[in-house]
Amino acid sequence: MRIFIVYAHPSEDSFTRHIRDHFIRGVESAGHSYILSDLYKMNFKTDMNEAEYLREAFYSLDTPVPDDVLAEQNKINASDAIVFIYPVFWSDVPAKLKGWFDRVWTYGFAYGLNRSMKQLEKALVMVSAGNNSEYFDRTGLLDAMKKVILNDRLFDRVKTKEMIVFDSTSRELPERKFNWDKHLRRAFETGAKFWQ
Ligand SMILES: Cc1cc2nc3c(=O)[nH]c(=O)nc-3n(C[C@H](O)[C@H](O)[C@H](O)COP(=O)(O)O)c2cc1C
């Protein structure tokens, strides 16, 4: 089984990067393969140009999809599952990942009649967040984030989907250090048990 990992964090020195690497180690330990798109490292272009916008606005299958977008779509269709790993930025995905959805979820691939995107078996969304779970419950923000990514962006494009939040990970919080090993162990085990 192959997993496509879409990772978005601008820094090599981040908690989120450790989560990614531990998850990958878990996946490898279980003998599964993965493909990685490291969106900042790839310098993935996130702004649509006018031709891309017009393609989506007019549902025009005649306008070709750019090569960098096609490459991402091919990675999806060559996989059985998709995993997103990113930090919460302003109660959403980082702009880099939002732009990935804007450009990769094209008409004829991710939506519209006769879409060519394969229905994936599973999706997992792993996010790091500075705030704590009590704050998320009180404000309803986590619920809102979940609805957008799981119910709208992923929708019926995957059969089963789950979101895991590693909370209280701001650098100034003692919880960041305190929960570090526990969180990384969870990321490893999530990778190791991904297909169970
Ligand atoms: C621009 C920016 C916006 C952020 N917005 C939020 C937010 O809305 N909610 C939240 O819980 N954390 C927020 N954070 C905190 C990140 O999620 C935090 O960087 C992460 O949890 C810490 O892990 P890291 O070492 O991987 O960056 C924000 C951080 C940055 C840099």
Side-chain angles (χ1 to χ4, degrees), residues 147-173:
K147 279 188 179 140
V148 170
I149 189 119
L150 299 183
N151 300 1
D152 179 53
R153 290 177 197 151
L154 294 176
F155 188 50
D156 65 355
R157 298 175 182 94
V158 289
K159 290 183 191 163
T160 60
K161 44 205 165 181
E162 187 194 353
M163 184 164 177
I164 296 177
V165 181
F166 299 96
D167 73 333
S168 306
T169 57
S170 279
R171 283 176 196 266
E172 76 278 12
L173 294 176

Side-chain angles (χ1 to χ4, degrees), residues 7 9-11 13-19 86-92 127-132 135-136 141 145 165-171 176 180:
Y7 170 74
H9 195 298
S11 170
D13 172 25
S14 71
F15 169 74
T16 312
R17 171 62 190 268
H18 286 274
I19 288 289
Y86 58 87
V88 173
F89 281 179
W90 295 112
S91 304
D92 205 335
V127 303
S128 66
N131 290 311
N132 62 38
Y135 172 84
F136 281 126
L141 280 170
M145 286 191 278
V165 181
F166 299 96
D167 73 333
S168 306
T169 57
S170 279
R171 283 176 196 266
R176 177 177 166 108
W180 187 273

Side-chain angles (χ1 to χ4, degrees), residues 44-196:
F44 187 79
K45 181 172 111 61
T46 52
D47 294 335
M48 289 182 140
N49 61 26
E50 191 179 10
E52 285 176 84
Y53 165 72
L54 292 175
R55 187 185 184 284
E56 301 307 308
F58 289 97
Y59 307 125
S60 154
L61 288 173
D62 298 338
T63 310
V65 171
D67 286 348
D68 62 337
V69 170
L70 260 184
E72 295 305 295
Q73 294 178 342
N74 289 338
K75 289 177 203 171
I76 293 170
N77 280 355
S79 303
D80 305 293
I82 193 160
V83 173
F84 295 93
I85 305 176
Y86 58 87
V88 173
F89 281 179
W90 295 112
S91 304
D92 205 335
V93 300
K96 197 67 152 171
L97 180 54
K98 177 59 169 58
W100 184 92
F101 279 110
D102 286 353
R103 295 188 63 236
V104 175
W105 260 208
T106 58
Y107 176 69
F109 178 73
Y111 69 102
L113 294 175
N114 303 320
R115 53 194 209 210
S116 59
M117 178 174 168
K118 167 183 182 178
Q119 193 190 33
L120 297 166
E121 293 299 320
K122 195 167 166 174
L124 170 67
V125 180
M126 285 204 289
V127 303
S128 66
N131 290 311
N132 62 38
S133 55
E134 185 277 322
Y135 172 84
F136 281 126
D137 288 344
R138 183 162 40 84
T139 57
L141 280 170
L142 178 60
D143 215 36
M145 286 191 278
K146 269 190 179 168
K147 279 188 179 140
V148 170
I149 189 119
L150 299 183
N151 300 1
D152 179 53
R153 290 177 197 151
L154 294 176
F155 188 50
D156 65 355
R157 298 175 182 94
V158 289
K159 290 183 191 163
T160 60
K161 44 205 165 181
E162 187 194 353
M163 184 164 177
I164 296 177
V165 181
F166 299 96
D167 73 333
S168 306
T169 57
S170 279
R171 283 176 196 266
E172 76 278 12
L173 294 176
E175 290 94 324
R176 177 177 166 108
K177 211 170 166 196
F178 185 74
N179 290 324
W180 187 273
D181 291 342
K182 184 180 76 177
H183 282 334
L184 297 191
R185 224 174 12 255
R186 186 176 181 197
F188 177 88
E189 280 161 13
T190 304
K193 294 183 184 152
F194 192 80
W195 287 115
Q196 286 178 11

